[in-house]
Amino acid sequence: MTSRREMLKSALLGGGATVVAATALGSLGPEAAFANAAPDIEPGSPDPNFAEGRIRSIKDNTLLVLGSNMVFHNIKIVDGTSLWKLGPVPFDEAKPGDGLYARGVRMPDGVLAAESVWLNIVNIKGHIKNITDKTLHLDHNGQEVLCHVVAGKSVAVHSESPPTADLSMLRVAQHVQILGAWRPDTNEVDIATVFSPH
């Protein structure tokens, strides 16, 4: 069976043919964000098929991204690229200033042809300091993060229960893990999922 990576590479090298839609090849949501790390990379070595940083500019279907190590990356979005920003989104949701993680196939010219791009994704743990009907105030390592409940998007997962839009079981002082989308240059996050152990 052909892997997603092989399909992407052959389509791109074959002259830009349309790549099979991401959902046909399995989930590339945030839960799979780093599951596809290349096994042949030496421990401690950078993964050539991964990039992170903040978008500096967008031209056509290419993102110019400045990594945290001050290295620039050109990341090409193709028909089969899955993009996540609090949920699956179209390419026009990517904006200069957004942070991202991207995984794909490094082409001979150095461009990263993206399989998956996660825009502003955060995965943080802490305890709840305060709750309102629209926000959670989270203490994350001594820093307050204001987490916004997004109607129709935010869900809670309690222990082994299925996801629910009912966040009323959350309590002040409870330890939680929040997967969400950072609002660039703020201490604020839009909630995708709140995981609570009980």
Side-chain angles (χ1 to χ4, degrees), residues 19-186:
V19 180
V20 176
T23 53
L25 294 163
S27 171
L28 281 169
E31 71 281 1
F34 306 108
N36 295 324
D40 54 350
I41 305 287
E42 287 291 321
S45 298
D47 182 346
N49 297 313
F50 177 81
E52 60 76 34
R54 290 187 74 178
I55 300 171
R56 297 300 295 265
S57 64
I58 301 172
K59 184 174 182 189
D60 299 324
N61 64 342
T62 302
L63 307 173
L64 179 63
V65 174
L66 180 61
S68 60
N69 59 357
M70 304 309 285
V71 171
F72 279 100
H73 303 278
N74 284 301
I75 300 172
K76 187 172 190 147
I77 305 302
V78 298
D79 290 341
T81 304
S82 68
L83 289 98
W84 183 94
K85 193 177 195 179
L86 203 62
V89 293
F91 175 61
D92 62 5
E93 289 287 317
K95 306 291 183 205
D98 282 346
L100 66 69
Y101 295 102
R103 183 168 293 289
V105 177
R106 189 71 63 177
M107 305 310 290
D109 62 0
V111 171
L112 182 69
E115 291 177 293
S116 311
V117 175
W118 298 271
L119 298 164
N120 299 328
I121 189 170
V122 292
N123 188 351
I124 55 176
K125 294 180 180 179
H127 70 269
I128 299 172
K129 291 176 61 178
N130 189 26
I131 301 175
T132 72
D133 60 343
K134 293 190 178 12
T135 60
L136 299 177
H137 295 255
L138 188 73
D139 181 333
H140 171 66
N141 298 330
Q143 298 197 341
E144 183 169 321
V145 180
L146 182 60
C147 303
H148 297 273
V149 176
V150 180
K153 296 263 189 195
S154 301
V155 296
V157 176
H158 305 284
S159 189
E160 301 298 317
S161 302
T164 176
D166 179 9
L167 306 185
S168 65
M169 292 177 65
L170 298 172
R171 300 285 177 254
V172 170
Q174 184 177 14
H175 285 270
V176 294
Q177 180 173 353
I178 294 180
L179 178 71
W182 170 59
R183 295 183 179 185
D185 300 314
T186 71

